[in-house]
Amino acid sequence: MKKYRNVNEPLRLKDCDRETAEALERELERQRHGLEMIASENFVSRAVLEALGSVATNKYSEGYPGNRYYGGCTNIDSIERLAIARAQQLFGAEHVNVQPLSGAPANVAVYSALLQPGDTVLGMDLSHGGHLTHGHPVTWMSKLFTFARYKTDPTTGLIDFDQVRALAKQHRPKLILVGYSAYTREIDYVQFKQIADEVGALTMADIAHIAGLIAGGVMQNPTPLFDVITTTTHKTLRGPRGGMIMCKDTHAAAIDKAVFPGFQGGPHENNVAAKAVAFKEALAPSFKTYAQQILKNTKVLEKIFSDAGITICFNKTDNHMLLLDVTSIGLTGKHTEQLLDTVGITVNKNVIPDDPRKPMDPSGIRIGTPALTTRGFDERDMALVGETIVNLLKSPNDTSVCTRAQDAVRALTDAHPLYPDLTYTT
Ligand SMILES: *Cc1c(COP(=O)(O)O)cnc(C)c1O
């Protein structure tokens, strides 16, 4: 009888699947030698990578710690309890569910826990920084619920609370949604809570982008004030790709039921283990330094771009990203994204508030500093990054400027090595 390959054979990825190993190696090289400036991306620690690739991926554990539908969950329970306890400590949350597979499923689970089909949700206009999962017409959620939209004030760049209040009174939403993907300013959670109380709405903050800044103490924390908080764990929080829901105890049963069995099956416990590791890292004092450095680095870019005559949307930044209107220097978002790509700088094109252009070629780019900050970039490095970008955008057709930019990217990435001992092919 032919013997099946045994899991105990000492085979590494490179020996059993050369194609995948080589593709991963090329991706590792791309991450090493490029400037990653997509605002939602980051680099996890080796410890987080190790937990992600651990044997916890083998285990089925439908249910919650102490109450599972499968045997053999004792160790998985310990892991999930660690993740929950650390998240509670990090954000001051009463109840935490660490099982959502990502940010979008977390949001869907909350809607289903708190709303009935046909209910109204008041959230931010998508071109002003709201997320797809906040009721974009392309999502299934937009068929189930009615979404009303507030905007930012074009003069102050801040959320227009007169409008929020007026819309809340007009639409009587069941839920008021706060938390954004491209909005760069601090959020006045107290005002949102007041308005929600006036109309009897629940409050939800989707802190997907800024969770790490809140955990690091440099942005305000809505957790004590709001009914429900959703987040991803892989953006500024610097954990594995995943989601999480935090809430008041009064919503705990509904939220847990909505995640499982409402929407999901077995949780990805390797991912939960990696969340536990990332939360431990976020509780360490050095995480505060990281969060502070993100803000300093973003401010350096803000000054360089505004000195270069590039319009900063929402007037300024209070967080880890900038939304730039590049039509102010005669470019488009798509062209700018492509131009920066040619020298190894990765950003994304992005709509700006009430963008007259189309989403596939909008007026803006979004640019963030978390990933480079994790690599150890400081204000001096960031000044070089900013100048390199400005020079390129000002002379898009000058090959010598392009060559100089490529050299600068190489020098900066060489100075801040990424996963130096990691390899998939040797
Ligand atoms: C990124 C993001 C999400 C979605 O997270 P995924 O993990 O990509 O599903 C949800 N809400 C906001 C505000 C986000 O920025």
Side-chain angles (χ1 to χ4, degrees):
M1 200 176 82
K2 193 172 183 307
K3 193 170 159 265
Y4 286 100
R5 178 161 279 165
N6 188 311
V7 287
N8 294 318
E9 274 178 38
L11 280 190
R12 290 209 23 228
L13 175 63
K14 70 185 172 64
D15 303 314
C16 63
D17 182 351
R18 194 73 204 170
E19 287 120 304
T20 303
E22 281 173 0
L24 283 170
E25 190 72 20
R26 287 194 299 274
E27 174 57 16
L28 175 60
E29 285 302 301
R30 187 194 70 81
Q31 293 186 14
R32 277 182 179 145
H33 297 300
L35 292 182
E36 185 51 73
M37 303 193 78
I38 291 178
S40 49
E41 293 192 16
N42 215 326
F43 300 110
V44 299
S45 68
R46 288 301 299 273
V48 167
L49 276 185
E50 198 177 329
L52 262 180
S54 69
V55 293
T57 197
N58 296 330
K59 190 73 197 94
Y60 247 110
S61 57
E62 284 177 357
Y64 291 99
N67 189 19
R68 305 279 190 184
Y69 289 82
Y70 287 85
C73 288
T74 317
N75 306 310
I76 296 300
D77 279 2
S78 312
I79 291 168
E80 193 165 331
R81 284 197 175 107
L82 267 180
I84 290 168
R86 287 171 182 167
Q88 283 173 318
Q89 194 184 341
L90 208 46
F91 293 96
E94 289 180 12
H95 180 78
V96 178
N97 187 313
V98 291
Q99 292 188 6
L101 302 175
S102 214
N107 285 349
V108 172
V110 173
Y111 299 152
S112 83
L114 304 182
L115 306 173
Q116 294 299 320
D119 279 348
T120 298
V121 179
L122 178 58
M124 175 94 102
D125 185 278
L126 299 165
S127 79
H128 290 240
H131 190 259
L132 278 175
T133 56
H134 300 178
H136 192 282
V138 300
T139 62
W140 178 248
M141 293 306 108
S142 73
K143 296 192 175 73
L144 280 184
F145 309 114
T146 306
F147 287 87
R149 310 249 162 247
Y150 56 86
K151 293 187 174 186
T152 56
D153 179 325
T155 348
T156 61
L158 295 170
I159 289 159
D160 180 348
F161 280 102
D162 292 337
Q163 188 194 35
V164 176
R165 180 171 274 106
L167 288 169
K169 294 206 157 126
Q170 182 192 339
H171 294 281
R172 308 303 279 189
K174 196 80 166 288
L175 180 68
I176 294 184
L177 242 179
V178 177
Y180 319 104
S181 298
Y183 184 59
T184 59
R185 306 296 296 275
E186 181 57 279
I187 299 163
D188 188 342
Y189 298 103
V190 174
Q191 284 222 55
F192 273 112
K193 176 71 177 149
Q194 274 167 4
I195 293 169
D197 287 347
E198 286 168 27
V199 299
L202 295 168
T203 45
M204 163 174 159
D206 176 352
I207 58 169
H209 259 270
I210 55 174
L213 302 177
I214 294 169
V218 298
M219 290 195 85
Q220 283 175 41
N221 181 7
T223 317
L225 201 61
F226 272 38
D227 291 292
V228 181
I229 310 292
T230 60
T231 186
T232 63
T233 48
H234 50 271
K235 296 182 185 176
T236 52
L237 194 49
R238 208 164 64 186
R241 195 154 290 282
M244 174 162 76
I245 303 171
M246 301 182 275
C247 65
K248 298 289 179 208
D249 280 332
T250 48
H251 304 298
I255 294 285
D256 284 355
K257 260 171 67 183
V259 173
F260 174 84
F263 275 98
Q264 294 186 178
H268 297 187
E269 294 291 351
N270 58 320
N271 186 283
V272 171
K275 285 173 188 170
V277 175
F279 299 162
K280 175 161 184 171
E281 291 172 356
L283 284 164
S286 60
F287 198 82
K288 290 201 162 53
T289 316
Y290 150 78
Q292 287 157 4
Q293 191 63 47
I294 286 177
L295 296 197
K296 287 182 198 160
N297 284 347
T298 317
K299 280 289 163 195
V300 169
L301 292 183
E302 179 185 77
K303 173 149 192 354
I304 290 171
F305 294 145
S306 75
D307 287 351
I310 302 171
T311 299
I312 313 275
C313 297
F314 312 117
N315 296 349
K316 71 188 197 69
T317 178
D318 300 318
N319 60 23
H320 61 296
M321 62 183 155
L322 289 154
L323 185 61
L324 306 177
D325 177 358
V326 289
T327 63
S328 57
I329 50 166
L331 294 169
T332 71
K334 185 173 163 190
H335 184 197
T336 305
E337 180 189 296
Q338 286 167 347
L339 193 61
L340 292 172
D341 236 348
T342 62
V343 300
I345 300 176
T346 315
V347 303
N348 64 280
K349 57 184 176 292
N350 212 103
V351 290
I352 63 168
D354 299 317
D355 203 327
R357 301 181 59 87
K358 296 254 174 340
M360 282 317 286
D361 190 7
S363 302
I365 60 161
R366 190 184 65 163
I367 187 161
T369 61
L372 293 186
T373 305
T374 293
R375 283 186 80 154
F377 281 54
D378 63 10
E379 293 100 308
R380 269 222 327 260
D381 301 316
M382 210 51 75
L384 285 171
V385 172
E387 282 154 19
T388 301
I389 293 173
V390 165
N391 289 340
L392 200 63
L393 300 192
K394 290 273 159 120
S395 315
N397 302 314
D398 186 330
T399 48
S400 73
V401 170
C402 190
T403 308
R404 275 212 306 281
Q406 279 162 336
D407 292 345
V409 169
R410 188 76 200 194
L412 281 161
T413 53
D414 283 348
H416 298 284
L418 182 69
Y419 305 125
D421 55 338
L422 191 60
T423 170
Y424 296 102
T425 51
T426 54

